[in-house]
Amino acid sequence: MSQYRSVKGTRDIFSDEMISWKHVENVIHRVAGLFGFHEIRTPVFEYTDLFQRSIGATTDIVGKEMFSFRPEPEGRSITLRPEMTAGVMRAFLQGNLAASAPVHKLYYIAELFRKERPQAGRQRQFSQFGAELLGASSPEAVAETIGLMMQVFTDLGVQRLKLKINTLGDLEDRNRYREALREYLEPYSGDLDEPSRERLSKNPLRILDSKNPEVQAVIAGAPKLHDYLNRSALDEFERVLEYLDRKAIAYVVDPFLVRGLDYYCHTAFEVVSPELGAQDAIGGGGRYDGLARQLGSKSDIPAVGFAVGLERLLIAMEKQGLLRHIGPVAPAVFVVVQGSEMAADAVSVCDALRRAGISAEMDLAGKSMKAQMRDANKSGAAYALFVGSDEVMSQKYGLKNLKTSDQEPLTLREIIEKLAALDRVRQ
Ligand code: AMP
């Protein structure tokens, strides 16, 4: 064993688990395609001020969780991305995508970095799948975005998820509410925990996110955001809910759901899973019409998006037994070679099969035939193919069906035809 260990809060994914990841990623790509979302990749690091400006200086992410550094002592600070929305919006504005079409529907699967205290379901490097719909934030756009997220969950078979949804109204309403909330909370400041007390002056809305039961008890009697919202914001929210009803997406309206980041407005939502313990949020998102302007755009750009944590999604799937049926991908053929002098012929046979689109493997460690047969069975291959001196001489190879043990001598061309035909039947 080496003395080197992976960095705290990071992990390696080996092939068994990789199969589950690929399965999840394939479903994401397929469903995103069904909804007409296109994949985007942005750099792993951005200038630090992009995140400070967009996520908000008073948030935990910007305040204490960013991995920031200066590549040149005098140069600008850069940060490993702690979330994707800011980078996607930056790319959208920089690439002037709005010039080509009014609405862009983008999605990503990406690695994120946050300096959090590692625990189950919370890492310092983690992955998210997310989508950003830019150029529209109508109730239809919001429902479509939530619909994409929920269909991924449905197609993966994940059960018992709870979609919590709320409206934050527009900026003016929220500012009025913030003051009312501050007024209500100030007399209770002694009952709040340290982080909440800190938030009281900086951003009291964030206290509503607290998971601490004592803080929650104080919050229970707090004024409700909905009482401070204007009629049109509430009407719009009603229409979002109507669309969700039409799509048969179940939800719970949670008037205390505010989400931590500064850029959200109007609809905000979160999905929680009872499978996840303390870190029960599997994903969340909302509208962020003002972010573009915050990043220097001349006007607001209506936008709505979400992000889902893939590690937590996989934990929930594992607990619900959804990963057990996803076995490793077995080769179609395991080539068994009789002695090292036949190895070159076996290599050629393998290559011919692979060129014909048939997956093939062979022993690479000089094992005995008996050991190779054991490996062939263990690999889950459908067939073993024998390469010995007789076979090479006659150009007919024994093709053994590993399920039935039937064996027949066939030329390479016959083998390819037979296996390709079987493959067509399976498809
Ligand atoms: P957020 O951007 O904070 O709303 O996070 C969206 C989702 O990403 C969460 O619901 C989690 O599933 C996941 N997530 C956030 N932070 C972490 C982390 N440190 N480790 C693992 N997953 C995370």
PDB file of all heavy atoms in Angstrom, residues 37-57:
ATOM      1  N   PHE A  37     -32.961  19.898 -24.124  1.00  0.00           N
ATOM      2  CA  PHE A  37     -31.873  20.616 -23.450  1.00  0.00           C
ATOM      3  C   PHE A  37     -30.539  20.179 -24.061  1.00  0.00           C
ATOM      4  O   PHE A  37     -30.359  19.005 -24.390  1.00  0.00           O
ATOM      5  CB  PHE A  37     -31.879  20.331 -21.940  1.00  0.00           C
ATOM      6  CG  PHE A  37     -32.861  21.178 -21.168  1.00  0.00           C
ATOM      7  CD1 PHE A  37     -34.232  20.992 -21.308  1.00  0.00           C
ATOM      8  CD2 PHE A  37     -32.417  22.182 -20.318  1.00  0.00           C
ATOM      9  CE1 PHE A  37     -35.144  21.777 -20.608  1.00  0.00           C
ATOM     10  CE2 PHE A  37     -33.319  22.971 -19.606  1.00  0.00           C
ATOM     11  CZ  PHE A  37     -34.687  22.766 -19.746  1.00  0.00           C
ATOM     12  N   HIS A  38     -29.611  21.115 -24.223  1.00  0.00           N
ATOM     13  CA  HIS A  38     -28.315  20.819 -24.844  1.00  0.00           C
ATOM     14  C   HIS A  38     -27.206  20.910 -23.803  1.00  0.00           C
ATOM     15  O   HIS A  38     -27.225  21.800 -22.952  1.00  0.00           O
ATOM     16  CB  HIS A  38     -28.041  21.797 -25.985  1.00  0.00           C
ATOM     17  CG  HIS A  38     -29.076  21.716 -27.062  1.00  0.00           C
ATOM     18  ND1 HIS A  38     -29.030  20.780 -28.068  1.00  0.00           N
ATOM     19  CD2 HIS A  38     -30.218  22.419 -27.249  1.00  0.00           C
ATOM     20  CE1 HIS A  38     -30.095  20.923 -28.838  1.00  0.00           C
ATOM     21  NE2 HIS A  38     -30.834  21.906 -28.365  1.00  0.00           N
ATOM     22  N   GLU A  39     -26.229  20.033 -23.948  1.00  0.00           N
ATOM     23  CA  GLU A  39     -25.176  19.964 -22.917  1.00  0.00           C
ATOM     24  C   GLU A  39     -24.206  21.144 -23.042  1.00  0.00           C
ATOM     25  O   GLU A  39     -23.875  21.578 -24.145  1.00  0.00           O
ATOM     26  CB  GLU A  39     -24.408  18.647 -23.052  1.00  0.00           C
ATOM     27  CG  GLU A  39     -23.485  18.410 -21.878  1.00  0.00           C
ATOM     28  CD  GLU A  39     -22.917  16.993 -21.843  1.00  0.00           C
ATOM     29  OE1 GLU A  39     -23.127  16.233 -22.815  1.00  0.00           O
ATOM     30  OE2 GLU A  39     -22.259  16.670 -20.843  1.00  0.00           O
ATOM     31  N   ILE A  40     -23.764  21.634 -21.896  1.00  0.00           N
ATOM     32  CA  ILE A  40     -22.738  22.688 -21.884  1.00  0.00           C
ATOM     33  C   ILE A  40     -21.616  22.277 -20.939  1.00  0.00           C
ATOM     34  O   ILE A  40     -21.872  21.626 -19.923  1.00  0.00           O
ATOM     35  CB  ILE A  40     -23.340  24.061 -21.464  1.00  0.00           C
ATOM     36  CG1 ILE A  40     -22.250  25.134 -21.477  1.00  0.00           C
ATOM     37  CG2 ILE A  40     -24.019  24.009 -20.093  1.00  0.00           C
ATOM     38  CD1 ILE A  40     -22.767  26.556 -21.356  1.00  0.00           C
ATOM     39  N   ARG A  41     -20.388  22.596 -21.294  1.00  0.00           N
ATOM     40  CA  ARG A  41     -19.247  22.408 -20.386  1.00  0.00           C
ATOM     41  C   ARG A  41     -18.566  23.743 -20.201  1.00  0.00           C
ATOM     42  O   ARG A  41     -18.318  24.434 -21.183  1.00  0.00           O
ATOM     43  CB  ARG A  41     -18.260  21.403 -20.979  1.00  0.00           C
ATOM     44  CG  ARG A  41     -18.857  20.032 -21.025  1.00  0.00           C
ATOM     45  CD  ARG A  41     -17.882  18.960 -21.373  1.00  0.00           C
ATOM     46  NE  ARG A  41     -18.654  17.741 -21.588  1.00  0.00           N
ATOM     47  CZ  ARG A  41     -18.142  16.610 -22.013  1.00  0.00           C
ATOM     48  NH1 ARG A  41     -16.871  16.519 -22.279  1.00  0.00           N
ATOM     49  NH2 ARG A  41     -18.922  15.560 -22.173  1.00  0.00           N
ATOM     50  N   THR A  42     -18.278  24.069 -18.979  1.00  0.00           N
ATOM     51  CA  THR A  42     -17.571  25.328 -18.701  1.00  0.00           C
ATOM     52  C   THR A  42     -16.317  24.983 -17.894  1.00  0.00           C
ATOM     53  O   THR A  42     -16.207  23.864 -17.384  1.00  0.00           O
ATOM     54  CB  THR A  42     -18.467  26.300 -17.896  1.00  0.00           C
ATOM     55  OG1 THR A  42     -18.748  25.697 -16.631  1.00  0.00           O
ATOM     56  CG2 THR A  42     -19.760  26.617 -18.627  1.00  0.00           C
ATOM     57  N   PRO A  43     -15.378  25.920 -17.762  1.00  0.00           N
ATOM     58  CA  PRO A  43     -14.135  25.613 -17.052  1.00  0.00           C
ATOM     59  C   PRO A  43     -14.364  25.245 -15.585  1.00  0.00           C
ATOM     60  O   PRO A  43     -15.345  25.690 -14.978  1.00  0.00           O
ATOM     61  CB  PRO A  43     -13.338  26.917 -17.143  1.00  0.00           C
ATOM     62  CG  PRO A  43     -13.948  27.665 -18.271  1.00  0.00           C
ATOM     63  CD  PRO A  43     -15.382  27.281 -18.323  1.00  0.00           C
ATOM     64  N   VAL A  44     -13.444  24.466 -15.058  1.00  0.00           N
ATOM     65  CA  VAL A  44     -13.540  24.047 -13.653  1.00  0.00           C
ATOM     66  C   VAL A  44     -13.237  25.225 -12.723  1.00  0.00           C
ATOM     67  O   VAL A  44     -13.673  25.255 -11.593  1.00  0.00           O
ATOM     68  CB  VAL A  44     -12.571  22.870 -13.403  1.00  0.00           C
ATOM     69  CG1 VAL A  44     -12.381  22.628 -11.926  1.00  0.00           C
ATOM     70  CG2 VAL A  44     -13.094  21.612 -14.074  1.00  0.00           C
ATOM     71  N   PHE A  45     -12.468  26.198 -13.196  1.00  0.00           N
ATOM     72  CA  PHE A  45     -12.283  27.392 -12.353  1.00  0.00           C
ATOM     73  C   PHE A  45     -12.661  28.664 -13.089  1.00  0.00           C
ATOM     74  O   PHE A  45     -12.668  28.726 -14.309  1.00  0.00           O
ATOM     75  CB  PHE A  45     -10.865  27.500 -11.760  1.00  0.00           C
ATOM     76  CG  PHE A  45      -9.729  27.162 -12.683  1.00  0.00           C
ATOM     77  CD1 PHE A  45      -9.406  27.988 -13.738  1.00  0.00           C
ATOM     78  CD2 PHE A  45      -8.952  26.025 -12.456  1.00  0.00           C
ATOM     79  CE1 PHE A  45      -8.343  27.699 -14.564  1.00  0.00           C
ATOM     80  CE2 PHE A  45      -7.881  25.719 -13.291  1.00  0.00           C
ATOM     81  CZ  PHE A  45      -7.585  26.571 -14.347  1.00  0.00           C
ATOM     82  N   GLU A  46     -13.049  29.636 -12.293  1.00  0.00           N
ATOM     83  CA  GLU A  46     -13.482  30.946 -12.802  1.00  0.00           C
ATOM     84  C   GLU A  46     -12.827  31.997 -11.909  1.00  0.00           C
ATOM     85  O   GLU A  46     -12.334  31.686 -10.827  1.00  0.00           O
ATOM     86  CB  GLU A  46     -15.014  31.105 -12.664  1.00  0.00           C
ATOM     87  CG  GLU A  46     -15.854  30.076 -13.387  1.00  0.00           C
ATOM     88  CD  GLU A  46     -16.167  30.449 -14.843  1.00  0.00           C
ATOM     89  OE1 GLU A  46     -15.746  31.531 -15.297  1.00  0.00           O
ATOM     90  OE2 GLU A  46     -16.826  29.631 -15.515  1.00  0.00           O
ATOM     91  N   TYR A  47     -12.882  33.260 -12.356  1.00  0.00           N
ATOM     92  CA  TYR A  47     -12.408  34.316 -11.479  1.00  0.00           C
ATOM     93  C   TYR A  47     -13.297  34.376 -10.239  1.00  0.00           C
ATOM     94  O   TYR A  47     -14.523  34.257 -10.332  1.00  0.00           O
ATOM     95  CB  TYR A  47     -12.399  35.667 -12.198  1.00  0.00           C
ATOM     96  CG  TYR A  47     -11.284  35.746 -13.215  1.00  0.00           C
ATOM     97  CD1 TYR A  47     -11.556  35.894 -14.562  1.00  0.00           C
ATOM     98  CD2 TYR A  47      -9.954  35.643 -12.810  1.00  0.00           C
ATOM     99  CE1 TYR A  47     -10.533  35.950 -15.485  1.00  0.00           C
ATOM    100  CE2 TYR A  47      -8.921  35.697 -13.732  1.00  0.00           C
ATOM    101  CZ  TYR A  47      -9.215  35.840 -15.066  1.00  0.00           C
ATOM    102  OH  TYR A  47      -8.201  35.884 -15.972  1.00  0.00           O
ATOM    103  N   THR A  48     -12.656  34.563  -9.086  1.00  0.00           N
ATOM    104  CA  THR A  48     -13.367  34.522  -7.798  1.00  0.00           C
ATOM    105  C   THR A  48     -14.517  35.519  -7.737  1.00  0.00           C
ATOM    106  O   THR A  48     -15.581  35.223  -7.188  1.00  0.00           O
ATOM    107  CB  THR A  48     -12.365  34.797  -6.655  1.00  0.00           C
ATOM    108  OG1 THR A  48     -11.320  33.829  -6.756  1.00  0.00           O
ATOM    109  CG2 THR A  48     -13.016  34.725  -5.290  1.00  0.00           C
ATOM    110  N   ASP A  49     -14.313  36.711  -8.332  1.00  0.00           N
ATOM    111  CA  ASP A  49     -15.354  37.732  -8.189  1.00  0.00           C
ATOM    112  C   ASP A  49     -16.658  37.329  -8.879  1.00  0.00           C
ATOM    113  O   ASP A  49     -17.721  37.820  -8.521  1.00  0.00           O
ATOM    114  CB  ASP A  49     -14.867  39.132  -8.619  1.00  0.00           C
ATOM    115  CG  ASP A  49     -14.178  39.129  -9.961  1.00  0.00           C
ATOM    116  OD1 ASP A  49     -14.240  38.088 -10.635  1.00  0.00           O
ATOM    117  OD2 ASP A  49     -13.598  40.163 -10.342  1.00  0.00           O
ATOM    118  N   LEU A  50     -16.596  36.420  -9.859  1.00  0.00           N
ATOM    119  CA  LEU A  50     -17.846  35.941 -10.482  1.00  0.00           C
ATOM    120  C   LEU A  50     -18.748  35.315  -9.422  1.00  0.00           C
ATOM    121  O   LEU A  50     -19.954  35.575  -9.372  1.00  0.00           O
ATOM    122  CB  LEU A  50     -17.532  34.908 -11.573  1.00  0.00           C
ATOM    123  CG  LEU A  50     -18.763  34.211 -12.166  1.00  0.00           C
ATOM    124  CD1 LEU A  50     -19.546  35.161 -13.068  1.00  0.00           C
ATOM    125  CD2 LEU A  50     -18.377  32.962 -12.939  1.00  0.00           C
ATOM    126  N   PHE A  51     -18.160  34.495  -8.562  1.00  0.00           N
ATOM    127  CA  PHE A  51     -18.969  33.816  -7.530  1.00  0.00           C
ATOM    128  C   PHE A  51     -19.366  34.791  -6.427  1.00  0.00           C
ATOM    129  O   PHE A  51     -20.475  34.722  -5.900  1.00  0.00           O
ATOM    130  CB  PHE A  51     -18.214  32.618  -6.954  1.00  0.00           C
ATOM    131  CG  PHE A  51     -17.861  31.602  -8.003  1.00  0.00           C
ATOM    132  CD1 PHE A  51     -16.542  31.304  -8.309  1.00  0.00           C
ATOM    133  CD2 PHE A  51     -18.862  30.953  -8.714  1.00  0.00           C
ATOM    134  CE1 PHE A  51     -16.225  30.379  -9.281  1.00  0.00           C
ATOM    135  CE2 PHE A  51     -18.557  30.027  -9.696  1.00  0.00           C
ATOM    136  CZ  PHE A  51     -17.231  29.740  -9.982  1.00  0.00           C
ATOM    137  N   GLN A  52     -18.452  35.695  -6.068  1.00  0.00           N
ATOM    138  CA  GLN A  52     -18.783  36.671  -5.025  1.00  0.00           C
ATOM    139  C   GLN A  52     -19.986  37.507  -5.445  1.00  0.00           C
ATOM    140  O   GLN A  52     -20.907  37.743  -4.686  1.00  0.00           O
ATOM    141  CB  GLN A  52     -17.591  37.585  -4.751  1.00  0.00           C
ATOM    142  CG  GLN A  52     -16.473  36.856  -4.027  1.00  0.00           C
ATOM    143  CD  GLN A  52     -15.193  37.659  -3.988  1.00  0.00           C
ATOM    144  OE1 GLN A  52     -14.944  38.497  -4.862  1.00  0.00           O
ATOM    145  NE2 GLN A  52     -14.353  37.394  -3.002  1.00  0.00           N
ATOM    146  N   ARG A  53     -19.958  37.913  -6.708  1.00  0.00           N
ATOM    147  CA  ARG A  53     -20.999  38.786  -7.240  1.00  0.00           C
ATOM    148  C   ARG A  53     -22.335  38.035  -7.371  1.00  0.00           C
ATOM    149  O   ARG A  53     -23.390  38.583  -7.100  1.00  0.00           O
ATOM    150  CB  ARG A  53     -20.546  39.291  -8.610  1.00  0.00           C
ATOM    151  CG  ARG A  53     -21.408  40.319  -9.221  1.00  0.00           C
ATOM    152  CD  ARG A  53     -21.013  41.725  -8.740  1.00  0.00           C
ATOM    153  NE  ARG A  53     -22.051  42.677  -9.124  1.00  0.00           N
ATOM    154  CZ  ARG A  53     -22.958  43.162  -8.298  1.00  0.00           C
ATOM    155  NH1 ARG A  53     -22.954  42.832  -7.042  1.00  0.00           N
ATOM    156  NH2 ARG A  53     -23.886  43.997  -8.711  1.00  0.00           N
ATOM    157  N   SER A  54     -22.288  36.788  -7.802  1.00  0.00           N
ATOM    158  CA  SER A  54     -23.535  36.094  -8.135  1.00  0.00           C
ATOM    159  C   SER A  54     -24.135  35.358  -6.943  1.00  0.00           C
ATOM    160  O   SER A  54     -25.320  35.492  -6.655  1.00  0.00           O
ATOM    161  CB  SER A  54     -23.304  35.116  -9.279  1.00  0.00           C
ATOM    162  OG  SER A  54     -22.297  34.185  -8.928  1.00  0.00           O
ATOM    163  N   ILE A  55     -23.340  34.604  -6.226  1.00  0.00           N
ATOM    164  CA  ILE A  55     -23.885  33.780  -5.147  1.00  0.00           C
ATOM    165  C   ILE A  55     -24.214  34.642  -3.938  1.00  0.00           C
ATOM    166  O   ILE A  55     -25.181  34.394  -3.220  1.00  0.00           O
ATOM    167  CB  ILE A  55     -22.891  32.659  -4.763  1.00  0.00           C
ATOM    168  CG1 ILE A  55     -22.614  31.771  -5.979  1.00  0.00           C
ATOM    169  CG2 ILE A  55     -23.427  31.820  -3.613  1.00  0.00           C
ATOM    170  CD1 ILE A  55     -21.523  30.742  -5.758  1.00  0.00           C
ATOM    171  N   GLY A  56     -23.396  35.672  -3.735  1.00  0.00           N
ATOM    172  CA  GLY A  56     -23.676  36.603  -2.634  1.00  0.00           C
ATOM    173  C   GLY A  56     -22.637  36.479  -1.536  1.00  0.00           C
ATOM    174  O   GLY A  56     -22.338  35.374  -1.073  1.00  0.00           O
ATOM    175  N   ALA A  57     -22.112  37.614  -1.113  1.00  0.00           N
ATOM    176  CA  ALA A  57     -20.999  37.630  -0.166  1.00  0.00           C
ATOM    177  C   ALA A  57     -21.387  37.078   1.200  1.00  0.00           C
ATOM    178  O   ALA A  57     -20.536  36.606   1.947  1.00  0.00           O
ATOM    179  CB  ALA A  57     -20.456  39.048  -0.044  1.00  0.00           C
TER     180      ALA A  57
END
